[in-house]
Amino acid sequence: MEKVLMKGNEAFAEAAIRGGAGFYFGYPITPQNEIPEYMSHELEKAGGSFIQAESELAAVNMAYGAAAAGGSVFISTSSPGVALMQEGISFMCSSEVPVVMLNVSRGGPGVGGIQPGQADYFQATRGGGNGDYHVPVFAPASIQEAIDMIYGAFEIADKYQNPVMILADGMLGQMMEPVSLPEAKRMATYEEIRANKPWAITGKGPRSERNVIKSLRLQPDVLEAHIHRLFEKYDRMEKELVRYETYGEPDPEIVFVAFGTVARLVAETMDILAERGYKAGMIRPVTLWPFPFDAFARISDKTRLVVSVELSMGQLLTDVKAAVCGRVPVGLINRTGGVVPTPVEIADRAIKQLKALD
Amino acid sequence: MKQVFAITRGMLPVDTSYCPGCTHGVAHRLIMECLEELGELDNTIAVSPIGCSIVAHQYMNIDMCESAHGRAPAVASGIRRVHPDKVVFTYQGDGDLASIGVGEIIHAAHRGEKVTTFFINNAIYGMTGGQMAPTTLLGQRATTAINGRTKESNGSPLRMCELLATIDGAVFVERVALNSPGNVRKAKKAVMKAFEVQKNGLGFSFVEFLSSCPTNWGRAPYEAMEFIKEEMIPYYPLGNFRKPEEF
Ligand SMILES: Cc1ncc(C[n+]2csc(CCOP(=O)(O)OP(=O)(O)O)c2C)c(N)n1
């Protein structure tokens, strides 16, 4: 396929349109401003509709409404915006409304900064909203991978009737890479919405039953049964969606765990370590929830150290520790606040941690 | 025998959970009657946010969704974009619309969303048990203002019709009351006009109902009707605040 050079954010927006998104609601926030800007002129050309919402709170609720009405919906924001969107995410999970959302994350807490961060790991994987629910989270390491994830996320969201999150970072949003764009899907017509999403609120019309989309269940036993049904779905997601990649030779003495752009830095670190005579490997979770616990079963007795490399204060580390389960020492190599380590810095710190074990 | 009255097909034949003397049921019925008369019942999508009337979908016989507290106008804006040919409305309480959701209602009006909002002003938070709303009258008691609302601590009650009428996109704004048969008839006319404005694609339309909450006001149902007449209407004048020329 022909390659074009595109800026991350614009490529994400184009991938969503090509994936069939008809509706986008957003509020400006760096480092993802190019997305609402792009949507404001490109979405209507594709037959869709764009609203510059008055806040992320409004944006996520517009998304809920449009998706409940059967539209294919894409929303994007950055970290503080995702904090405001939690109300809607929890609501959409409970009422089983599919939306694709993208976090082009930055450093926090609070308003934080605008440089890339991964400190939204807990917010994304643990659910920042209220109640028992899960959202599948995909973490792209390149603009191409983000395009493919966004493009494919609409089908996943519809299949499970659940929101799906793509967790990118400001680095991916702001850089340019050669990419190939998938074929554009057509937006669904009213008749197609009624046929393919029989649960959607489209006006009763000739349907025999009216549709109601709700999350209120005042009777505890009824709510409990509903949550159990949701968790049967989450169990299926855990089996069917989990993805990861492994890199390096068999039997490495050090195994890195990193996602997103950090995994690209670690790939370079592995070359540096090879030159310095160390055998390194890497597990890259492609889905953060479900977390690829199975990938860690392959860690052999030759491995002396597993290291979480992240742009946060040990958030990914908690899952890595749970996955390693005490079999091998687990270390942390991290920067935060928008600071990105160099591959050399990661290599130096890794060697130091290995030596400390001797 | 000739039948002179029938309950609209827009209302499901079930008992409501609303308290005796509460006017939610009256407002529901008026809206559903208008939709039936317009032939739009099967062509309508509505949003009921948090508040006593989140359960409106148990009674209104149309496609509906619930929404988070105050967000119904945003939800309706999303629905409207997907279905430009449907009738879309929100049904919101005064805590919902005038407090937590004040941003969403102002901006739905500001964008001139082609939806209708029905605003139930009962001067109190009903569902949570009688706390002060932005619309609670000065001197009126609430569980968070046990000696009555004061201007010094709480400000004066918000008049939403007057506020929204300053926004260009809000092309139809009217306040009605549900305290007497005559006022109920006027209320129905306003509902009808609001839907017609929407159907003609003219912009955002808004009807405020001065409503009762006997339970949380600590009044008998007939006293509650008196309260609307004696206390609410003088502060919240009835009438039209904005309408398109042809209306
Ligand atoms: C985010 C959030 N905050 C608070 C509540 C609690 N709550 C439920 S109903 C309600 C008040 C609703 O009052 P109003 O809108 O006046 O409607 P009414 O019940 O009087 O009809 C509140 C505060 C909630 N459900 N969600």
Side-chain angles (χ1 to χ4, degrees), chain B residues 130-190:
Chain B
Q131 297 80 13
M132 184 179 60
T135 45
T136 297
L137 295 173
L138 288 178
Q140 186 187 338
R141 287 169 197 263
T143 57
T144 48
I146 53 171
N147 295 318
R149 176 179 184 147
T150 64
K151 190 173 172 180
E152 294 65 38
S153 318
N154 316 114
S156 292
L158 266 184
R159 295 186 182 95
M160 289 308 294
C161 279
E162 286 81 341
L163 204 145
L164 289 169
T166 64
I167 298 172
D168 283 353
V171 295
F172 182 87
V173 179
E174 189 156 322
R175 182 183 289 123
V176 296
L178 298 177
N179 65 318
S180 69
N183 277 342
V184 170
R185 273 197 295 277
K186 283 186 199 150
K188 184 167 172 182
K189 287 204 178 99

Side-chain angles (χ1 to χ4, degrees), chain A residues 23 25 49-55 57-59 61-71 87 91 190 193 200-205 207 209-216 218, chain B residues 9 12 41-46 50 54-55 57-69 71 74-79 81-83 86 103-105 107-108 111 113 127:
Chain A
F23 305 91
F25 312 102
S49 187
F50 161 88
I51 301 181
Q52 179 167 331
E54 61 270 29
S55 67
L57 205 48
N61 281 288
M62 288 172 185
Y64 162 73
E87 171 186 273
F91 223 86
Y190 181 69
I193 290 176
I201 45 171
T202 51
K204 181 170 165 288
R207 220 192 297 119
E209 292 294 319
R210 75 210 177 86
N211 283 342
V212 173
I213 292 182
K214 55 179 262 175
S215 73
L216 179 76
L218 288 175
Chain B
R9 178 171 82 74
L12 290 162
L41 276 176
D42 293 342
N43 201 36
T44 296
I45 306 170
I50 310 287
I54 187 172
V55 291
H57 56 72
Q58 293 175 10
Y59 318 126
M60 296 179 174
N61 190 12
I62 53 175
D63 270 16
M64 282 186 81
C65 70
E66 292 172 353
S67 106
H69 202 12
R71 317 290 172 234
V75 175
S77 301
I79 295 171
R81 297 300 161 124
V82 181
H83 299 303
K86 302 288 154 195
E104 284 75 14
I105 191 65
H107 284 281
R111 287 188 303 272
E113 293 290 345
M127 195 186 209

Side-chain angles (χ1 to χ4, degrees), chain A:
Chain A
M1 220 186 293
E2 197 195 334
K3 294 231 175 196
V4 284
L5 191 63
M6 273 187 105
K7 186 168 185 174
N9 282 333
E10 293 190 344
F12 304 159
E14 183 58 32
I17 296 175
R18 289 181 182 232
F23 305 91
Y24 175 88
F25 312 102
Y27 186 83
I29 183 168
T30 308
Q32 61 86 60
N33 289 320
E34 294 84 357
I35 301 176
E37 286 165 4
Y38 190 89
M39 287 302 195
S40 72
H41 51 82
E42 292 306 310
L43 195 54
E44 266 163 41
K45 285 186 202 159
S49 187
F50 161 88
I51 301 181
Q52 179 167 331
E54 61 270 29
S55 67
E56 289 87 351
L57 205 48
V60 76
N61 281 288
M62 288 172 185
Y64 162 73
S72 225
V73 180
F74 181 62
I75 50 180
S76 68
T77 182
S78 180
S79 311
V82 185
L84 279 186
M85 287 188 175
Q86 296 300 335
E87 171 186 273
I89 296 170
S90 164
F91 223 86
M92 292 190 284
C93 284
S94 174
S95 49
E96 298 188 84
V97 167
V99 163
V100 176
M101 55 195 172
L102 168 67
N103 179 359
V104 185
S105 69
R106 55 190 244 181
V111 68
I114 58 170
Q115 299 305 319
Q118 294 184 324
D120 296 350
Y121 184 86
F122 283 162
Q123 186 197 50
T125 59
R126 300 324 197 242
N130 61 303
D132 278 320
Y133 70 87
H134 285 292
V135 171
V137 182
F138 291 83
S142 67
I143 297 179
Q144 184 66 56
E145 193 179 27
I147 290 173
D148 297 339
M149 282 173 175
I150 293 168
Y151 186 80
F154 293 92
E155 259 174 43
I156 297 172
D158 286 347
K159 176 178 171 193
Y160 296 101
Q161 266 185 251
N162 203 76
V164 171
M165 180 182 278
I166 318 293
L167 180 61
D169 61 43
M171 200 149 28
L172 276 186
Q174 292 301 323
M175 69 190 192
M176 290 183 95
E177 281 184 326
V179 294
S180 55
L181 292 162
E183 203 180 314
K185 291 182 192 165
R186 189 175 48 76
M187 250 179 78
T189 62
Y190 181 69
E191 286 67 32
E192 285 165 348
I193 290 176
R194 283 184 72 98
N196 300 334
K197 298 183 176 176
W199 47 265
I201 45 171
T202 51
K204 181 170 165 288
R207 220 192 297 119
S208 61
E209 292 294 319
R210 75 210 177 86
N211 283 342
V212 173
I213 292 182
K214 55 179 262 175
S215 73
L216 179 76
R217 287 173 180 84
L218 288 175
Q219 277 172 291
D221 53 336
V222 174
L223 180 55
E224 187 184 50
H226 171 64
I227 295 166
H228 278 296
R229 207 177 52 71
L230 291 179
F231 271 74
E232 281 165 21
K233 185 169 84 174
Y234 300 145
D235 285 347
R236 283 203 306 282
M237 288 181 183
E238 284 194 79
K239 291 192 194 83
E240 294 164 7
L241 294 180
V242 68
R243 270 171 59 197
Y244 62 90
E245 284 184 356
T246 56
Y247 305 79
E249 310 282 305
D251 299 327
E253 58 184 313
I254 179 165
V255 172
F256 294 103
V257 187
F259 71 88
T261 43
V262 178
R264 290 168 70 159
L265 303 175
V266 173
E268 286 184 42
T269 299
M270 286 166 63
D271 293 340
I272 296 167
L273 287 179
E275 281 164 22
R276 297 191 196 171
Y278 293 91
K279 229 171 144 189
M282 172 166 59
I283 297 170
R284 176 170 78 93
V286 175
T287 53
L288 304 182
W289 190 91
F291 189 77
F293 290 101
D294 284 354
F296 294 76
R298 300 203 200 148
I299 291 176
S300 74
D301 349 322
K302 304 267 163 45
T303 297
R304 297 169 62 214
L305 181 65
V306 177
V307 181
S308 173
V309 189
E310 54 181 282
L311 303 181
S312 53
M313 295 302 287
Q315 297 191 25
L316 173 65
L317 179 69
T318 57
D319 280 337
V320 175
K321 277 186 176 163
V324 172
C325 210
R327 284 174 292 150
V328 182
V330 176
L332 171 67
I333 296 177
N334 67 324
R335 297 298 299 261
T336 192
V339 184
V340 180
T342 62
V344 174
E345 177 185 342
I346 300 169
D348 290 345
R349 287 169 70 178
I351 291 169
K352 207 168 153 197
Q353 291 191 15
L354 275 174
K355 286 193 174 145
L357 294 173
D358 291 337

